Amino acid sequence: MQEHRAGPGSGDPAPNRIVAADSTARTLLAACARALRGEDCADLGQHSVLARFRGAPESVRRAAIARAGTRAAVPAERVGQLDAEAVARWMTDHYRPGSFPGAVLGSPHGAAAHLAVALGVPWLPAGFEMAVAWPDGAADDPGAALRYARPLATRLLAANPGTAVRQVHDPVGRGVLAGAAVTMVVRWRRLPRAYRRFLTERLAPGAPVLTLRDARTWPVLPAGPGYGFQVGSPGGGLDAADFAPDSAALTEVLRCVGGDRRRWDPPQPDGPPDQAEHGVEPGLEADLRAWAHAAGRPLHRVLFPRPEALSAAVADVYRAWLRSAGKTGDRCVVECGRLVDPWQVVRSGLVPYWCEGATQRSVAGAEWWLAGSEPFSSVDVLPEPPGLHSPALAGLPQWLAVASFGRRRSAVDRIAARGYPVTSVPTRHATEVLRGQPYDLPIPPPLRMPDLVAGLRTGGAAHGLLVG
């Protein structure tokens, strides 16, 4: 990715190294910033480490991926030097100079980026994901992952008291990389100074702010002040119960990563589930409310129980927005993971539906929404191959079923489907595919925040959205 605009002080790890290159939030930030400049994602060429070395024998491939993952991660000795405020500045520096008519903040979700672009406003994440090198790690030993990362999290939090850390050990979503690096999601517990300055100086007078919060929960072990540990993730497509040692799904996953089920002995949370890793810290929301009240700005809040709910509600709003501008709103694109390009979607007059990942659960959400929607003349599908095998993944027949809802045209991208699921394609591939769509110009006037909120309230209730 060509995202190297800003860096912290001398000796600190640079934000472009800290923020995981393959994280959804980083891709969405880059895509949204480009779209607001009238640019597509043709230069976003980051490939997943999991997709490398495909011609090697499986055992050799796993070892090579692990070494590559360790090299790409932040060295453990640098974690205490991490500056979360510098990361926040790096994120706001993505956006062009000038004033904006509002802002969207919160959990990483492809529909959030599409909303922001339709509104003509920036999107900023409520945190960021980072990988820390674990040279002697093991994907099948979550207890060792916790023991290794606990002192690292302590140092990180001491240097950044305005943050919280959620460690995620997930061989389902990370595969071999779960044993090469520990994954930490750093969330802001209060509004970063860079965000506060950006909102104060770069938004037009009275401009509204919208927060989007992923309300999913997951078993979490409190491992220290501001520090939680979770095994697995709702985004991986399995349930929390599937991470029990006697789970058939877990056995299959560990076999795929070269692990041993007999070593699997995760620490057991003894309390109720907490918000999952991509939630929004209550302190950040409270800080944002106080800022908005003092600045006299409207603040709207949307909680979504599942990513599919927000995807469906936003797609419905998008279709109504296109039609209000005299367009048909009759062509749909189903995106997945990092295969997004908000600018090409707007340029083509497409209705976007975003799948969080290539899981059966996520793809089924797209099927249900299309089945209940007014038919589309065309449905194009961009499945992102995750680069690994998992019992939770959707097969190509399920992706074909999604595309079949197009009355005149139904297409699953052939390059993404070739070698699925172990291959990988970069974000720019979505741009290459969407550039082939016919232009539908002029672009509609920006969506107004009151119309968006009204549309989410009207159509979102059926999907379980809470709009305030």
Side-chain angles (χ1 to χ4, degrees), residues 5 17 26 56 78 93 110 124 146 171 175 191 195 224 271-272 322 340 351 357 370 466:
R5 294 194 173 91
R17 177 75 186 276
R26 178 166 179 160
R78 305 292 297 278
D93 284 349
L124 293 169
L146 174 59
L191 196 61
Y195 278 23
L322 292 173
V340 297
V351 175
L370 285 164
L466 179 62

Side-chain angles (χ1 to χ4, degrees), residues 7-33:
S10 176
D12 296 341
N16 63 350
R17 177 75 186 276
I18 293 169
V19 182
D22 61 353
S23 62
T24 300
R26 178 166 179 160
T27 299
L28 297 178
L29 178 68
C32 186

Side-chain angles (χ1 to χ4, degrees), residues 68-241:
T70 300
R71 288 195 300 268
V74 177
E77 62 271 16
R78 305 292 297 278
V79 170
Q81 301 168 334
L82 184 150
D83 185 350
E85 279 291 342
V87 174
R89 288 197 302 274
W90 176 76
M91 289 178 169
T92 58
D93 284 349
H94 277 66
Y95 291 101
R96 59 169 172 78
S99 176
F100 295 100
V104 178
L105 283 80
S107 302
H109 193 292
H114 285 296
L115 273 186
V117 172
L119 291 163
V121 306
W123 172 78
L124 293 169
F128 58 92
E129 183 178 311
M130 62 180 291
V132 181
W134 186 21
D136 299 315
D140 58 6
D141 196 346
L146 174 59
R147 291 190 296 273
Y148 177 80
R150 194 193 299 266
L152 303 179
T154 300
R155 294 203 297 270
L156 191 156
L157 290 166
N160 300 274
T163 64
V165 172
R166 174 66 55 80
Q167 182 185 351
V168 182
H169 185 79
D170 184 18
V172 176
R174 299 292 292 166
V176 176
L177 295 179
V182 291
T183 297
M184 295 183 177
V185 180
V186 182
R187 303 190 302 220
W188 284 289
R189 301 173 74 176
R190 56 176 181 256
L191 196 61
R193 290 190 298 273
Y195 278 23
R196 186 184 297 272
R197 187 180 310 112
F198 183 85
L199 296 174
T200 300
E201 298 176 358
R202 302 288 301 281
L203 300 194
V209 176
L210 173 69
T211 63
L212 299 171
R213 176 182 165 190
D214 186 338
R216 287 178 293 181
T217 60
W218 197 259
V220 176
L221 175 69
Y227 173 42
F229 176 80
Q230 71 182 60
V231 174
S233 165
L238 296 181
D239 296 323

